[in-house]
Structures are given as C-alpha cells and as structure tokens.
Amino acid sequence: MTSIQKINSSERPQKPLYCKRHAVLSNRLVLEISIAHAVKASGLIFLSGQVPVDKEGKPVPGDVQAHTKQCLNNLADVLNAANSSWDKVVKVNIYLKNMDDFDRVNETYIQFVPEPRPARTCIQAGRLPNDFDVEIEAIAAA
C-alpha cells in the first residue's frame, strides 16, 4: 500500500490509499476550491468536468458549439498540465442541458478530437453547474 501524493497543492494531508494518486492542476484554469483539475492514479488520468469558462473563470459567450469548443480546450489545457494529450484519451462523458443540442455538440467534437476517437457517453443532465448548457469530462492514459 502506498500513500497519496498531491501535486501543486498543500490543501489536503496525505492519506493512505491502495494506489499512488497525484492531483494535476493547470495554471491556465481557475481552480475550484473543492476539486483538482485531474487526478493521476494507476496509469490513468481522470479529468474533472470542464464547463465553458475562460482562464479567469468567466463564462464564454456564444452558442452550444462555442461552449463545447471551450470545454474541449479546457480539457486540452488539463491534459497538457498532466503531460498527456487528446491522443491518449480513452473515455469522454458529455453532459448536455438539452439533448436537442447533440448534433451541434457532436459536430464540434468530431472536428476537435483526433481519430481514433475515444469511447464516449453523452447524456442530458438534470441541471449543470451555473446552468451551463454543456460539461465534458474525460479519462486518459498517463
């Protein structure tokens, strides 16, 4: 058994775990107090859901396609901070405010995410933080 090792954060004390876990923080994104941008564990990187905000944490203007692109760019920043890339992403979860936006979100997604594309789930969520229309999270190989 090994212990947790947080990266770029002294917010939480070390606690025993069955695997080594590292928090990943991007200096290009605002850190929500309650989350890490990503956590590395057992050869995987679990990226927290990203919403359409700029590097100051302000909502970006535009439609669901512009918002999707911002979410994907935010995830790319986190992947970069974790020394990874979209080529190593194995799973993506997309949460939509309205499933009627699926085709427009998918159009932006396929232009942004390289082939072969990762496994993906897309659902309509009951309500997203700050009433955003899209949130995207991912899992990548370290």
Side-chain angles (χ1 to χ4, degrees):
M1 193 174 348
T2 61
S3 62
I4 296 172
Q5 183 180 356
K6 296 278 287 183
I7 299 172
N8 296 334
S9 177
S10 59
E11 297 291 319
R12 296 181 180 99
Q14 292 186 354
K15 298 177 185 175
L17 263 189
Y18 292 105
C19 64
K20 195 171 224 178
R21 184 176 77 177
H22 302 274
V24 175
L25 304 174
S26 170
N27 60 4
R28 298 193 58 174
L29 298 173
V30 173
L31 177 64
E32 294 291 330
I33 292 172
S34 61
I35 66 165
H37 294 140
V39 173
K40 286 185 178 183
S42 300
L44 295 172
I45 306 166
F46 297 86
L47 289 85
S48 295
Q50 295 295 315
V51 292
V53 295
D54 62 20
K55 61 184 177 181
E56 282 83 34
K58 296 179 182 169
V60 297
D63 63 5
V64 72
Q65 287 182 299
H67 294 166
T68 300
K69 185 175 181 182
Q70 185 66 46
C71 292
L72 295 169
N73 280 323
N74 290 348
L75 286 168
D77 288 340
V78 177
L79 286 164
N80 185 54
N83 295 315
S84 191
S85 68
W86 274 102
D87 292 324
K88 294 182 177 181
V89 174
V90 296
K91 177 74 166 101
V92 173
N93 292 327
I94 301 175
Y95 306 97
L96 298 176
K97 180 178 181 179
N98 185 342
M99 193 53 86
D100 292 339
D101 291 331
F102 177 83
D103 289 339
R104 293 184 300 149
V105 167
N106 196 51
E107 183 179 312
T108 302
Y109 178 86
I110 62 174
Q111 291 174 1
F112 191 95
V113 179
E115 290 190 28
R117 292 190 185 86
R120 186 181 82 178
T121 298
C122 183
I123 65 163
Q124 180 172 316
R127 186 165 184 205
L128 295 171
N130 297 316
D131 210 28
F132 286 116
D133 52 3
V134 61
E135 180 174 350
I136 305 174
E137 65 182 16
I139 301 170

